[in-house]
Amino acid sequence: MQKYKTVGEGKIYEANYEINRSKFIAHVRRVEDEDAAREFLQSIKKKYFDATHNCSAWIIGVGVEKHKSNDDGEPGGTAGNPILEVLKKNALTNVEIIVTRYFGGIKLGAGGLIRAYSHSAALGLSAAEIVTMTPMQKFDVTIEYGMLATVENWLRQKKIAVGGTEYAADVTISLMAEPSDVEKILSDITELTAANFLHVLGEKVLIPIRDL
């Protein structure tokens, strides 16, 4: 389970760009596999069926395990690859960018096309929510009621994520932190409670943390 950057899930981000009467529309979406990437591309082609081109690129998997670009009729290397390079430059994965072009009657030339598709893709990412999928360890801490106020105040000061609190014979607080921080948190709670607590490790999950 590795940390990686992607875009927010469940939303299509859009941006528009116009140069020399050619209109470019960038669409950005999170995709988890090749089937999702193909389905997204087909949906854009269906929506913009009258467009001159629907060029695309995607990267899937941590470490750029899989990637693909498509010029969709533009001169080779002037559309899909520039879009792909924008994804690589921003170190994003599980993301697809599709740039739709409506030709305005004025040719841009190879260099102009590369710049236009790169700029459109970058504008699409500027409109997107960028998140870092971060591995987090869930764990429960059980303490006596007499220590509750002290521990809760300490958790707030340290800004440790609290998932919930269960009140029974003792109090169980569900916590979540990056795996590398868990040992230090438990050590601090040991000192705070004079070792009068119990803890149980839960599952590791990937949590989207928004980039500021």
Side-chain angles (χ1 to χ4, degrees), residues 20 27 33 49 62 72-73 81 92 104 108 134-135 141 174 203 205:
N20 291 346
H27 293 88
D33 52 44
F49 65 91
V62 180
D72 194 36
N81 194 59
L92 294 168
L108 302 180
T134 305
V141 171
S174 296
E203 63 179 336
V205 293

Side-chain angles (χ1 to χ4, degrees), residues 63-74:
V64 197
E65 292 174 5
K66 297 179 181 179
H67 61 84
K68 186 175 182 180
S69 61
N70 190 328
D71 294 315
D72 194 36
E74 292 282 30

Side-chain angles (χ1 to χ4, degrees), residues 100-157:
T100 297
R101 181 190 182 192
Y102 285 90
F103 180 53
I106 300 174
K107 292 185 177 181
L108 302 180
L113 284 173
I114 291 171
R115 288 189 294 273
Y117 278 102
S118 294
H119 186 62
S120 298
L123 287 176
L125 288 183
S126 294
E129 178 189 26
I130 306 300
V131 299
T132 299
M133 299 300 296
T134 305
M136 300 290 277
Q137 174 72 61
K138 291 184 175 182
F139 59 107
D140 292 341
V141 171
T142 300
I143 58 174
E144 295 179 348
Y145 278 89
M147 291 300 303
L148 180 58
T150 300
V151 172
E152 284 185 329
N153 183 56
W154 179 83
L155 292 171
R156 282 193 295 270
Q157 289 179 351

